[in-house]
Amino acid sequence: MNNYRYFFRDDYSEGCHPRIVAALLETSFTQQIGYGNDDYSAEAKRLIRAQLPGHDVDIHFVSGGTQANLVIIAAALKPYESIISARTGHINGHEAGAIEAIGHRVETVDTEDGKLNADQLTPFLTQLGHPNSTQPKMVYISNTTELGTVYSKAELTELSAFCRAHGWYLFLDGARLPSALATPDNDLSLANIADLTDVFYIGGTKNGGLFGEAIIISHPELKKGFSYHLKQRGAMLAKGRVLGLQFRELFRDNLIFELAAHANTRALAMVPGIEKLGYHFLVPPCSNQLFPTLPNAVIEGLAKKYVFHTWQQIDAQHAAIRLVTSWATPGAACEQFVTDLTMLSGTA
Amino acid sequence: MNNYRYFFRDDYSEGCHPRIVAALLETSFTQQIGYGNDDYSAEAKRLIRAQLPGHDVDIHFVSGGTQANLVIIAAALKPYESIISARTGHINGHEAGAIEAIGHRVETVDTEDGKLNADQLTPFLTQLGHPNSTQPKMVYISNTTELGTVYSKAELTELSAFCRAHGWYLFLDGARLPSALATPDNDLSLANIADLTDVFYIGGTKNGGLFGEAIIISHPELKKGFSYHLKQRGAMLAKGRVLGLQFRELFRDNLIFELAAHANTRALAMVPGIEKLGYHFLVPPCSNQLFPTLPNAVIEGLAKKYVFHTWQQIDAQHAAIRLVTSWATPGAACEQFVTDLTMLSGTA
Amino acid sequence: MNNYRYFFRDDYSEGCHPRIVAALLETSFTQQIGYGNDDYSAEAKRLIRAQLPGHDVDIHFVSGGTQANLVIIAAALKPYESIISARTGHINGHEAGAIEAIGHRVETVDTEDGKLNADQLTPFLTQLGHPNSTQPKMVYISNTTELGTVYSKAELTELSAFCRAHGWYLFLDGARLPSALATPDNDLSLANIADLTDVFYIGGTKNGGLFGEAIIISHPELKKGFSYHLKQRGAMLAKGRVLGLQFRELFRDNLIFELAAHANTRALAMVPGIEKLGYHFLVPPCSNQLFPTLPNAVIEGLAKKYVFHTWQQIDAQHAAIRLVTSWATPGAACEQFVTDLTMLSGTA
Amino acid sequence: MNNYRYFFRDDYSEGCHPRIVAALLETSFTQQIGYGNDDYSAEAKRLIRAQLPGHDVDIHFVSGGTQANLVIIAAALKPYESIISARTGHINGHEAGAIEAIGHRVETVDTEDGKLNADQLTPFLTQLGHPNSTQPKMVYISNTTELGTVYSKAELTELSAFCRAHGWYLFLDGARLPSALATPDNDLSLANIADLTDVFYIGGTKNGGLFGEAIIISHPELKKGFSYHLKQRGAMLAKGRVLGLQFRELFRDNLIFELAAHANTRALAMVPGIEKLGYHFLVPPCSNQLFPTLPNAVIEGLAKKYVFHTWQQIDAQHAAIRLVTSWATPGAACEQFVTDLTMLSGTA
């Protein structure tokens, strides 16, 4: 019933990559210790660490992004400390108050493209030491951002330097980090991310897994007692093996980056066809999320064949929609979409 | 490396039942709406409701037991209200302070067998209306309990009546409910549980699933806004389909109860052999957890071939160990265990 | 050392009105029951209720404004519910995260004058029912506002109607409510406030008391269990008599409103002299807070004789300062201030 | 109406010592900076520090005991850390869940006399490092205890050494510390308390003040950001001068200890008369709280003339009552009580 139209709704509309199912099948009857102390989790961590030579990181696997966000922030902040985020950041307004529920204020910055820089953070310095103010202590960014934009190495380096100068933690939400690292112009490596942030995670959910995020902690202070935080917030799976097994597969032969590149390629392949029709994008397309601005009538027409979010009303006649491709999106769906858009645009 | 010995450590040492893997394989490329609004979750709910004729329940799927506990309790209690539990209850001391972290006091009762009754709850009535006291508002029980004991219909009926007389919610942690309902002497049905409690859950993790608990809410007050609580606590999976699919398989043809009966049968098959050697049990065996009291030397001998928890020191020479069987435990492992125990007992 | 300059810094720079000290002296050796169950608190409540004929309100006394705010909000909201405030509202950014620390998000509105109206609240309706959003359930206003502005009866009536139409609680922070009700153009009575809001408080701290706020609850849902909230948040004084005694004195012969009128009169007496010099105010003056915009050099000159806050930088050469008068401000201090300002303005 | 009988109900039934009222009167019109930055608070801190030569402590004044407890514990513990208390400790079960409301578990110890020692704490060491357990990090004691008993220097030294050996904070609730230090056999000084604990407070409320506790922090880790915690929990009074002024008076000429000695003397003067009648005490009397065990009929008789708490039912015919004297208790009231008890005992 949900299935009669093609979904460009998000990157978690499908199940998981066949290699993961195969691994589940193969290991079902093997006994393992619970709570993440299984062989598969150990192997997954070895594979991730192999991409971080010389780094001393702690790695933990959790079920989802909101869970990762709230456990990390609970572990990092004292009760009176706050976290700064772009207004579009997932932790601000998209998690039903998850961060406030663990006691912390999210301080927000208005941005054009969902990215933060040092200039935007500077005004928060005035709060430091002020007895009536929350004390900012962590900066939250996402890469790719909620608008599909990415950080360059220069940008992340500058942001990192600013945070370190002020004793602030830099936390990168990487639910779509594989997509960011697989964009054509990317100049960041996973090791750079580990260098420049204090904690980040790599999303499995949106990159071919059933569910799961791999949290990677560099800062010694954030490593302390992390398992207790996980347990206390209900984030520790009895069969932690299921998470370990997925990340083992995703990191074997760099499958996760291959899948992310697939998703990016599919999205970017639609761009010329859309631009050719004279349409513009809310932000320049570079990853697996596109935000074309279209006439209302065209959007209505598309909605008969495709499922997607209307992101933002632009004016009375136009809105930006969000199109998301995934590791499983076939080329034919994208081609058909452009064809349909072209037809609708001719008649609209 | 973890695998060289046989595990009677818990009922989550293996992966999942083959039917679940098959369903994952079959559905991987089907697109579904996220966050639990998929067809498989809908089908799973239909199958569960079919066992609850005439009941108006809300059903939600979450990843694990601690998560279920904390979301349910967060949804039920005002800040000054508390929950009563047996001291052995999972929420008391086994979840790294999960309930306190959401702001609530766990009031405890010392019990012999992990079960609660009206007499044990009566003293808490004196707290009601006392301005310096937390106000008990919910009673937490588990079935089977953490000691493997079960509630009879008469016991649960009496407890339910007491709670209702005082306006208290009755919450049943059913991480091992399938096991309880599959014990030989059980006289409770799933519909009885829904009648006599206000909210309960059915564990998938310990009964053949990869992970997941099905929360079933009867009380109208507890239904309100439950999805927001799930989202806020990081308990809502983007690919909720993975939970739906598992419970669809587990409830199709009553697979979950069949698997629980298997686990019970395996454990209970060991009882005569253990008793024949003159050993006693901490509590009378009736489900898939056994707590035999053994001499230290015998325990040391067993530990070379088997993995299990030492539950409780009895005296300088003896301890009770915990043996747990699962949906996947082969008969041969149980027979071998009794054989080994017999040999060790002869020489000990 | 702190005393060599005159303070227009705030309305809590002095101690308390002599009648309060006299009452303390007179009652020191009289024994009373603790925790607010004393005769003086009972008498204070009778005096307040006498101004609210036909109203069925609960009254509780607490030590301060942040305490009042956090207890009221903790009592009103479920974990996923939020409160809407003007960005300038005291609960937003001036209480070191007090509201977030009890688990709730403060949703903010940019305003010109610190006041809220229905149009500004309308956008928040889109959050209702959205699974990823906090659910607004309470609106926070202050009267006088943090900018010294006041609500008219018509404005408060419209706001109240909007909140009731959407099932939202309306909460009025009245730390300076006596000042608001004592402004020359005021058309609201205390009974109107009780009619149009669901809960409000009347500040003693800023109106001649040593400390203390009287919380007045109209909505039946907010009355439930309020004493437990007070106790739990450390807001219940053992010698509650000290709060009762102060409010007894403040409400006897309407002393509190007389003191507020004094403060307003003192501030407003300075306005013509300031305007005559060609200066403007950030918001039109109407109560005991003035926000004149002055040249930097003049501000520096004033700071040698007076203590006040610089509120907001206007441009490179100008800033708005805040001048606050109190129940104890002598007329001579105000006259001298205008004289000094005139002299400095001549030379500046 | 509340006043017709004499209160031995608690040590906060009267107002405050006349010297405090005189100081309030004298300073009412003096302007001071708010939030604890006033001259009186500075002077009070100087007087307290004079009793702690060579100590580097931070001092903060708050309104009451529950507030002190919750702010100190919020400042000390990470979310998964817990605090150990005697079951009779005030934070356990007498503060409507205040500690749980800020997210922490109170671990309890059954005691005879309300005091803790190293042997009783040793079992909690097994929780350390256990992934499912809260991690104890602080030990809460009170002196005098809730049963009126006191710690000797040897006892406190042993407890302190144990806590330091395990990296646990030792926190002493001194709501009745002046009483403890004024008992005849006391061998502890205020400087000893500062040496042997990491944080403690001295109660003004129960020792002649209107309200207020002086928090004294020795451990550097607990000093960090304490003002933010105060502000966030609503514990920072705008007119902090009222707290400063009280402690200035209470510590000038050691008034606070003189008042505590008065209270102790009054209580202990009743002991011989009570013992002479053949009655026993629940715990040996040594400070301003007495717990005599009396026949029910005698208790009923006393209740016609005196107000007190019935503390604990001993058997069907007897109960222990609690008698508390204060800084204001006249000798005549105590003598009359013994006379009345003697008469009632003759006829009972």
Side-chain angles (χ1 to χ4, degrees), chain C residues 1-7 296-308 321 337 340 344 347:
Chain C
M1 188 178 72
N2 288 320
N3 303 336
Y4 64 106
R5 296 181 296 173
Y6 192 80
F7 286 38
N296 293 344
V298 170
I299 295 173
E300 278 168 40
L302 288 170
K304 290 178 188 146
K305 285 192 63 177
Y306 301 95
V307 180
F308 51 83
I321 65 166
F337 180 87
D340 290 333
L344 284 162
T347 62

Short mmCIF file of all heavy atoms in Angstrom, two decimals, chain C residues 1-7 296-308 321 337 340 344 347:
data_model
loop_
_atom_site.label_atom_id
_atom_site.label_comp_id
_atom_site.label_asym_id
_atom_site.label_seq_id
_atom_site.Cartn_x
_atom_site.Cartn_y
_atom_site.Cartn_z
N MET C 1 32.46 49.80 50.68
CA MET C 1 33.23 49.80 49.45
C MET C 1 32.31 49.80 48.22
O MET C 1 32.54 50.48 47.25
CB MET C 1 34.14 48.59 49.40
CG MET C 1 35.12 48.60 48.24
SD MET C 1 36.19 47.13 48.32
CE MET C 1 35.05 45.83 47.86
N ASN C 2 31.21 49.02 48.36
CA ASN C 2 30.26 48.99 47.26
C ASN C 2 29.38 50.24 47.27
O ASN C 2 28.57 50.42 46.37
CB ASN C 2 29.33 47.78 47.39
CG ASN C 2 30.07 46.50 47.07
OD1 ASN C 2 30.86 46.47 46.15
ND2 ASN C 2 29.80 45.45 47.83
N ASN C 3 29.50 51.07 48.32
CA ASN C 3 28.40 51.99 48.60
C ASN C 3 28.63 53.42 48.18
O ASN C 3 27.77 54.27 48.36
CB ASN C 3 28.12 52.00 50.10
CG ASN C 3 27.80 50.61 50.58
OD1 ASN C 3 27.36 49.78 49.80
ND2 ASN C 3 28.03 50.37 51.86
N TYR C 4 29.76 53.71 47.60
CA TYR C 4 30.07 55.12 47.42
C TYR C 4 29.28 55.80 46.29
O TYR C 4 29.27 56.99 46.18
CB TYR C 4 31.57 55.32 47.18
CG TYR C 4 32.06 54.68 45.91
CD1 TYR C 4 32.37 55.46 44.80
CD2 TYR C 4 32.19 53.30 45.83
CE1 TYR C 4 32.81 54.88 43.65
CE2 TYR C 4 32.64 52.72 44.68
CZ TYR C 4 32.95 53.50 43.59
OH TYR C 4 33.38 52.92 42.44
N ARG C 5 28.61 55.03 45.46
CA ARG C 5 27.86 55.64 44.36
C ARG C 5 26.38 55.30 44.50
O ARG C 5 26.03 54.29 45.13
CB ARG C 5 28.39 55.13 43.03
CG ARG C 5 29.84 55.55 42.79
CD ARG C 5 30.35 55.06 41.45
NE ARG C 5 30.39 53.60 41.43
CZ ARG C 5 30.66 52.88 40.33
NH1 ARG C 5 30.90 53.49 39.19
NH2 ARG C 5 30.68 51.56 40.38
N TYR C 6 25.51 56.08 43.87
CA TYR C 6 24.11 55.75 43.96
C TYR C 6 23.74 54.70 42.91
O TYR C 6 24.16 54.77 41.75
CB TYR C 6 23.22 57.00 43.82
CG TYR C 6 21.81 56.65 44.22
CD1 TYR C 6 21.46 56.59 45.57
CD2 TYR C 6 20.86 56.30 43.26
CE1 TYR C 6 20.19 56.20 45.95
CE2 TYR C 6 19.60 55.92 43.65
CZ TYR C 6 19.26 55.86 44.99
OH TYR C 6 18.02 55.46 45.37
N PHE C 7 22.92 53.71 43.33
CA PHE C 7 22.56 52.59 42.46
C PHE C 7 21.22 52.82 41.77
O PHE C 7 20.19 52.90 42.45
CB PHE C 7 22.40 51.31 43.28
CG PHE C 7 23.65 50.68 43.79
CD1 PHE C 7 24.73 51.44 44.24
CD2 PHE C 7 23.77 49.29 43.85
CE1 PHE C 7 25.88 50.83 44.73
CE2 PHE C 7 24.92 48.69 44.33
CZ PHE C 7 25.97 49.45 44.78
N ASN C 296 28.31 57.63 24.39
CA ASN C 296 29.27 56.89 25.22
C ASN C 296 29.95 57.77 26.26
O ASN C 296 30.13 57.35 27.41
CB ASN C 296 30.36 56.25 24.33
CG ASN C 296 29.77 55.16 23.44
OD1 ASN C 296 28.66 54.69 23.70
ND2 ASN C 296 30.50 54.79 22.40
N ALA C 297 30.33 58.98 25.85
CA ALA C 297 31.06 59.85 26.78
C ALA C 297 30.18 60.24 27.96
O ALA C 297 30.64 60.32 29.11
CB ALA C 297 31.55 61.10 26.05
N VAL C 298 28.92 60.47 27.70
CA VAL C 298 27.98 60.80 28.78
C VAL C 298 27.83 59.59 29.71
O VAL C 298 27.82 59.74 30.95
CB VAL C 298 26.62 61.22 28.18
CG1 VAL C 298 25.57 61.33 29.27
CG2 VAL C 298 26.75 62.55 27.42
N ILE C 299 27.74 58.42 29.14
CA ILE C 299 27.61 57.21 29.96
C ILE C 299 28.82 57.05 30.87
O ILE C 299 28.69 56.78 32.06
CB ILE C 299 27.43 55.97 29.05
CG1 ILE C 299 26.10 56.07 28.29
CG2 ILE C 299 27.48 54.68 29.86
CD1 ILE C 299 25.88 55.00 27.24
N GLU C 300 29.99 57.29 30.30
CA GLU C 300 31.21 57.19 31.12
C GLU C 300 31.19 58.19 32.27
O GLU C 300 31.60 57.89 33.38
CB GLU C 300 32.44 57.45 30.26
CG GLU C 300 32.89 56.22 29.48
CD GLU C 300 33.94 56.59 28.43
OE1 GLU C 300 34.82 57.43 28.73
OE2 GLU C 300 33.84 56.04 27.30
N GLY C 301 30.71 59.39 31.97
CA GLY C 301 30.63 60.41 33.01
C GLY C 301 29.66 60.00 34.11
O GLY C 301 29.98 60.09 35.30
N LEU C 302 28.50 59.51 33.71
CA LEU C 302 27.49 59.09 34.70
C LEU C 302 28.01 57.98 35.59
O LEU C 302 27.73 57.92 36.79
CB LEU C 302 26.22 58.62 33.99
CG LEU C 302 25.36 59.70 33.33
CD1 LEU C 302 24.28 59.05 32.46
CD2 LEU C 302 24.73 60.62 34.39
N ALA C 303 28.79 57.09 34.97
CA ALA C 303 29.25 55.90 35.70
C ALA C 303 30.16 56.26 36.87
O ALA C 303 30.40 55.42 37.75
CB ALA C 303 29.95 54.94 34.74
N LYS C 304 30.66 57.48 36.89
CA LYS C 304 31.49 57.89 38.03
C LYS C 304 30.66 58.13 39.28
O LYS C 304 31.15 58.06 40.39
CB LYS C 304 32.29 59.14 37.67
CG LYS C 304 33.39 58.81 36.64
CD LYS C 304 34.17 60.04 36.23
CE LYS C 304 35.10 59.68 35.06
NZ LYS C 304 35.27 60.78 34.12
N LYS C 305 29.40 58.49 39.10
CA LYS C 305 28.54 58.77 40.25
C LYS C 305 27.41 57.78 40.44
O LYS C 305 26.80 57.72 41.52
CB LYS C 305 27.94 60.19 40.10
CG LYS C 305 28.93 61.31 40.39
CD LYS C 305 28.24 62.65 40.52
CE LYS C 305 27.26 62.74 41.68
NZ LYS C 305 26.66 64.09 41.82
N TYR C 306 27.10 57.02 39.38
CA TYR C 306 25.93 56.14 39.46
C TYR C 306 26.28 54.73 39.00
O TYR C 306 27.15 54.55 38.16
CB TYR C 306 24.79 56.69 38.59
CG TYR C 306 24.37 58.08 39.02
CD1 TYR C 306 24.89 59.22 38.39
CD2 TYR C 306 23.48 58.25 40.09
CE1 TYR C 306 24.54 60.49 38.80
CE2 TYR C 306 23.13 59.53 40.52
CZ TYR C 306 23.66 60.65 39.88
OH TYR C 306 23.32 61.90 40.30
N VAL C 307 25.56 53.77 39.58
CA VAL C 307 25.74 52.38 39.16
C VAL C 307 24.51 51.96 38.37
O VAL C 307 23.38 52.13 38.84
CB VAL C 307 25.93 51.46 40.39
CG1 VAL C 307 26.11 50.03 39.94
CG2 VAL C 307 27.12 51.93 41.22
N PHE C 308 24.72 51.47 37.16
CA PHE C 308 23.59 51.05 36.28
C PHE C 308 24.14 50.08 35.25
O PHE C 308 25.36 49.95 35.10
CB PHE C 308 22.95 52.27 35.60
CG PHE C 308 23.96 53.15 34.92
CD1 PHE C 308 24.42 52.85 33.63
CD2 PHE C 308 24.50 54.27 35.56
CE1 PHE C 308 25.38 53.64 33.02
CE2 PHE C 308 25.48 55.06 34.95
CZ PHE C 308 25.90 54.75 33.67
N ILE C 321 21.23 52.66 28.22
CA ILE C 321 21.49 52.18 29.59
C ILE C 321 20.15 51.84 30.25
O ILE C 321 19.09 52.23 29.76
CB ILE C 321 22.26 53.22 30.43
CG1 ILE C 321 21.40 54.48 30.65
CG2 ILE C 321 23.59 53.57 29.77
CD1 ILE C 321 21.97 55.39 31.75
N PHE C 337 20.35 63.07 39.46
CA PHE C 337 20.74 62.37 38.24
C PHE C 337 20.47 63.22 37.01
O PHE C 337 21.32 63.36 36.13
CB PHE C 337 19.98 61.03 38.13
CG PHE C 337 20.34 60.26 36.89
CD1 PHE C 337 21.43 59.39 36.89
CD2 PHE C 337 19.63 60.42 35.70
CE1 PHE C 337 21.79 58.69 35.74
CE2 PHE C 337 19.98 59.74 34.56
CZ PHE C 337 21.07 58.87 34.58
N ASP C 340 22.96 66.02 36.83
CA ASP C 340 24.27 65.55 36.38
C ASP C 340 24.26 65.22 34.89
O ASP C 340 25.22 65.52 34.17
CB ASP C 340 24.70 64.31 37.19
CG ASP C 340 25.04 64.67 38.63
OD1 ASP C 340 25.44 65.83 38.88
OD2 ASP C 340 24.89 63.81 39.51
N LEU C 344 26.61 66.89 32.06
CA LEU C 344 27.46 66.07 31.19
C LEU C 344 27.09 66.25 29.72
O LEU C 344 27.94 66.20 28.84
CB LEU C 344 27.31 64.59 31.57
CG LEU C 344 28.04 64.17 32.85
CD1 LEU C 344 27.48 62.84 33.37
CD2 LEU C 344 29.54 64.05 32.57
N THR C 347 28.63 69.36 28.16
CA THR C 347 30.06 69.30 27.90
C THR C 347 30.44 68.19 26.93
O THR C 347 31.53 68.19 26.38
CB THR C 347 30.83 69.06 29.22
OG1 THR C 347 30.42 67.80 29.75
CG2 THR C 347 30.51 70.15 30.23
#
